[in-house]
Each structure stands twice: as C-alpha cells, then as structure tokens.
Amino acid sequence: MTNHSEAAGAPGTAQVTLRNPSELAEALPYLLGFRPEDSIVLVALHRGRFGGRVRLGIPERPGDWPSVAYEMAKCLISGSEKKDGTPDGIVAFLCQDPKTTEAGRQVMERLRPLAQMLRLACGRLDVPVVETLCIADDHFWSYSCPVAECCPPDGTPLAAPGTSVTAAAMTYAGIQVRRPPREMRARLAPWQTAAVAAQERALDAAAMALVPRILAGVPRAEVADETLDLARRVWSRFEHMPNGGDMLEADLKDDEQLAHDEAARLILGLQDRLTRDHAAEWMEGEEAPLVLRLWRALARRCVGPYGEHAAAPLTLAGWVAWSLGDRVEAGEALDMALAADPRYVFARLLMEACSADLDPEPVRRSLRKTRDERSVTPPEVDSGADFDGAGAGASVGAGPGAGVNAEGAAGRTGQGTPGRRSAEDLREPAEDRVTRALEAALRRRGSRRAGAGKGPAQAGAHAPRRPQGRRRVGRQGTRRDG
C-alpha cells in the first residue's frame, strides 16, 4: 500500500478549489503526482482541505475486497489522526481500464460492490465517504450522485490531459504529474532482449572469478573498494550524457555506457552489505541523479536466474529517489526490490519509512557520519575478512550446483589478531547505524512491527530483524540480507 501526504512537487501553501465531481476526477493525478492505474485511492478531507491519501491495486478476487477496504480505511484514518486529526470525510476513487470485451460502464458496474464496501468500511470507523468516483475508459462515474443530468449513466468524458481548467490551476500552483507507475517499473525491470544471454554469461563468469578470490582470503574491504571504484567510473560517464526527453531512449544510452562484464561485477559486488551501504552514501548533490541512473541500469541487467540479485540495485534506486524527494519512484523501486527478495531488510525498512512519510534526513545524516569516520580513521588491512551480505560468513555459488563455503574451506580468516578487534569488527557498528536510524524514526512514528510492503495487511509495518546468516552470491544460491 502506498501512503501519500502531499502531491508530488506541491508546495505546501498551494490552494486549488474543486467544486464538482468532474474537477475531482481531473485533479486525481495531481493529488498523487501520477495517473493511477488499476488502483483504489482514498483521500482524507480536513475542513475542506485534502490530507493524507492511500493507494492500493484492485485485487483480482472479489473475495479479497472486504478485507482490503477495511485495511485501507484503517490505514488512512489512523495515519491521518497522527498527523492532522480525524478526517471529516473521505473521497474514494476506483481506477481501472476496461478489459478486452468490456466497456467503461461495465467496469463501473463490476466495481460497484467494492465502492459500497469502501463506504461501509469507512463508516465502521466513523468517517463518512462523501464521494466515490469510478474512472475508466477516459470517463468517470459517481456512485454517490443519482442525478442523471449531473452524472449520466454512460459516464462523463474526462478532459484531455493538461487541457482542463483544473489542470491549468494545478500547474500554476506548481503541482506536476509524473509518468504512470507502469512506465517507472518498466525502466527497472530485467531486460527482455537478445542481449539477455550475453549478460547472463557475464554474470556466470563474474561469479566464477569471485570464488577463488574468496577462497584465497582476499579482504572483504578490498572487494568493496574495487566495486565502488568501478561504480564511480561508470556513473561518471553519464555526466556528459543528458537524461531528458524520452525515458526509453535515455535508458538505452545509459545501457550503452555499461559493458556486460562491468554490470556483472557491480551486481555481484553489491550483494555484500558493506559495499551496498557504502554505495548508499551517494544520495545527494550532483552525483545523486547520475548514481540513480546507474542503479536503474544494473536492475535491468539482473536477468534470468539472477533475478534475486536485483534487490540490491533496486533498493539503492529507491533510496536515492526518496532522498531526492521522488516518493513515487522510490515506492515502485522498493516494491520491486521486495518482490525480488521479500526478506531484504534494508528495502523493508526504507519502504515503511517512505510510506510513513518520514524525512530521509536522519538516514542521510547517519551515512554522512559513517563516511566521515571512515575517512578520518583508515581501516586496518585484514587479509581474511568474510565476503557476505550479513557480516557472518558467505557461500558463493558460480553456477548450477556450485556452492563453495569460504568459511568452511579456508577457515575463519576474518577474525583478525586474537584479542584484537579486526577492521571489519570496527567498521560494522558504523554500518548498522543506518538501520538503527531507520528503526528509531519508525518507532517514533508509532509504526507497527508486522511487515512492510503494499499488501493490505502489511501497510505501514515491518518484520522484526531476523538473525544474520549466510547467503549465496551465485545463480542457484539462497540469499539473505542483514
């Protein structure tokens, strides 16, 4: 479930008056910052002003509608009470394009029971639904208005995007509409081109090259430094390439700057938590938009059996987007990261913090402190640090059936001198500071600890941290994130 408190790009003082259902329907993309597709949207009203809003995909099974309606109502009302007080009312929207054999009016009739369930769910929580609109096939219908002259049975056509008085007023107020979530997800999804086979071979080769290095006791920090140096070289290439205009063309140009073997080395390197957390420090200033393009490009390269590996670049993309103020792209990227690996803790915490409308500055502050401490106190050279994503041993697979345990084959080489804390031991608490900052902010917000995500029973919560453990970096391995 996605929770919004402000339209994207809206200055907090902007005021636009909406007087009828038509203007409400045309204002919805500006309220969310994008045009919703296949969505239930609830918007709170406070003394005639819009407040918080929640969005969730319409479940395919009507049997799921009652629980979804209640959870959405509960999420919006409880969240509004913490910030602005109990809403005076709620406006509900049902947005869905017709299926192949449907007309827009048939969509409206099919979703009518869901509209009634939303009204009943909000009523159970003592907040009335003042208007319920269905938007389908470039028309809208009101479930609340029985007057045919006002709301005809065949629906009221929507104005072309950007041409209505409402659109002009919203634009003048500084509120912009982003591209649909479907297009945002498309630029983060794995390739579906002829280049997939070549990228998969490069990933296999990179995993095979990593195994003997781990067995030879190459320091974890050395592998991290190599990965981050390569990442810097790649995203610096984007500086001379403008990223405006058509998204597909821009992404293709970025892909041309990234070789298959480079992408493979970066993807595998980011599976290590230490490396990933250091990469998260690129979250502001002129470098942040360039780094975001790199994380998108790497997510597109997680092809075939390496789909789970996309959790790391997708989480980094979500974090940078959130840090830059784009909660819409952040939510989509983090949702995709959790789809790739539902146990990816960093993505879970970021998703909850973003959905709870928290300020990302405490996380940025923690990352800056970690970076400054590392630059002031150079780490000791540790010739046998474990390469893993959770700080507790690793198993690296390099193809079907492969799985060589670095700890079992080479011994516990990452412990440093007996009686003395190793460089990794000294560094780890600083890395954990980011997680602690997120958890502290969420506790202050009064979040439930029950799981994060977009599911109706999971909104606004996260699961307890599980014990750190081993994970695989190759094609067939299981993975865990700390």
Side-chain angles (χ1 to χ4, degrees):
M1 187 183 297
T2 305
N3 191 350
H4 306 267
S5 64
E6 292 288 345
T13 58
Q15 295 187 20
V16 178
T17 302
L18 304 177
R19 294 158 293 189
N20 53 54
S22 177
E23 292 181 350
L24 269 177
E26 292 169 358
L28 179 59
Y30 296 92
L31 294 175
L32 295 180
F34 60 92
R35 299 186 183 280
E37 301 170 331
D38 192 28
S39 298
I40 307 168
V41 181
L42 299 182
V43 182
L45 296 175
H46 298 271
R47 294 177 295 280
R49 299 175 63 90
F50 290 119
R53 58 220 69 170
V54 293
R55 179 181 67 91
L56 187 69
I58 298 176
E60 293 184 4
R61 294 177 61 253
D64 294 332
W65 290 355
S67 61
V68 166
Y70 181 74
E71 288 295 334
M72 289 191 69
K74 183 179 177 181
C75 177
L76 176 62
I77 294 170
S78 62
S80 297
E81 287 173 343
K82 295 173 184 176
K83 187 173 183 180
D84 302 312
T86 302
D88 303 318
I90 290 175
V91 180
F93 299 86
L94 300 177
C95 309
Q96 192 172 73
D97 288 332
K99 298 178 181 178
T100 307
T101 58
E102 278 187 319
R105 183 174 180 179
Q106 291 174 303
V107 175
M108 182 271 294
E109 293 294 349
R110 176 166 53 80
L111 296 179
R112 186 182 292 276
L114 176 55
Q116 178 64 11
M117 292 171 192
L118 290 168
R119 286 198 293 267
L120 291 174
C122 294
R124 286 170 59 190
L125 298 170
D126 298 323
V127 180
V129 174
V130 299
E131 180 64 88
T132 308
L133 299 179
C134 176
I135 300 176
D137 197 24
D138 296 326
H139 287 66
F140 77 88
W141 290 259
S142 172
Y143 292 112
S144 306
C145 179
V147 182
E149 291 77 11
C150 173
C151 299
D154 291 330
T156 303
L158 292 170
T163 62
S164 66
V165 174
T166 301
M170 293 285 188
T171 302
Y172 181 76
I175 304 172
Q176 302 296 324
V177 176
R178 295 285 312 276
R179 296 178 182 271
R182 169 175 43 84
E183 295 186 18
M184 297 183 198
R185 297 175 78 91
R187 68 190 318 192
L188 296 168
W191 276 353
Q192 299 288 334
T193 68
V196 167
Q199 183 60 66
E200 190 174 326
R201 288 193 297 271
L203 286 161
D204 288 343
M208 289 288 290
L210 190 57
V211 173
R213 298 192 66 198
I214 298 302
L215 296 179
V218 173
R220 180 184 180 196
E222 180 179 323
V223 178
D225 289 342
E226 292 174 0
T227 302
L228 295 170
D229 288 343
L230 176 58
R232 288 189 192 92
R233 293 199 301 272
V234 173
W235 62 253
S236 65
R237 299 170 192 165
F238 298 158
E239 289 186 269
H240 308 294
M241 301 174 55
N243 198 36
D246 181 75
M247 287 195 313
L248 176 59
E249 183 178 351
D251 289 344
L252 288 173
K253 290 181 179 178
D254 287 349
D255 288 339
E256 291 173 357
Q257 301 300 311
L258 181 61
H260 294 314
D261 61 332
E262 291 176 326
R265 287 156 56 196
L266 290 171
I267 289 168
L268 291 175
L270 289 173
Q271 304 311 302
D272 174 51
R273 189 184 66 170
L274 174 68
T275 309
R276 181 207 64 195
D277 288 351
H278 288 178
E281 295 168 4
W282 300 324
M283 75 289 187
E284 56 192 347
E286 296 180 356
E287 67 189 16
L290 302 174
V291 173
L292 178 57
R293 290 161 63 181
L294 174 58
W295 303 149
R296 291 188 193 125
L298 292 180
R300 294 192 293 268
R301 302 293 187 101
C302 294
V303 297
Y306 291 90
E308 273 191 351
H309 290 62
L314 285 169
T315 300
L316 289 170
W319 158 236
V320 176
W322 181 35
S323 180
L324 291 174
D326 190 344
R327 295 178 184 272
V328 178
E329 181 170 357
E332 296 302 323
L334 294 170
D335 188 45
M336 292 178 70
L338 289 171
D341 186 350
R343 299 179 297 177
Y344 206 76
V345 176
F346 192 36
R348 280 182 172 273
L349 292 172
L350 286 172
M351 170 66 89
E352 183 181 355
C354 187
S355 296
D357 204 23
L358 299 182
D359 185 351
E361 179 56 25
V363 184
R364 287 196 293 255
R365 191 161 51 242
S366 295
L367 287 168
R368 292 188 204 108
K369 187 173 182 179
T370 300
R371 180 182 57 204
D372 292 345
E373 288 177 352
R374 193 170 61 253
S375 63
V376 170
T377 307
E380 301 176 37
V381 177
D382 182 1
S383 62
D386 297 324
F387 181 86
D388 67 274
S395 180
V396 181
V404 182
N405 188 339
E407 178 185 2
R412 187 98 176 129
T413 57
Q415 298 301 307
T417 305
R420 180 182 179 186
R421 298 179 69 195
S422 70
E424 298 303 321
D425 293 331
L426 292 169
R427 185 184 291 109
E428 203 64 37
E431 307 308 324
D432 287 341
R433 188 181 294 127
V434 177
T435 298
R436 291 199 302 272
L438 278 168
E439 291 178 329
L442 290 166
R443 281 195 301 271
R444 287 194 297 270
R445 185 74 180 216
S447 301
R448 296 179 291 115
R449 301 182 65 84
K454 291 192 175 182
Q458 297 176 319
H462 66 83
R465 294 184 69 190
R466 54 182 175 72
Q468 296 178 349
R470 300 179 183 178
R471 77 174 183 185
R472 289 180 178 270
V473 181
R475 294 178 59 170
Q476 302 282 327
T478 58
R479 302 183 45 219
R480 293 184 181 180
D481 172 75

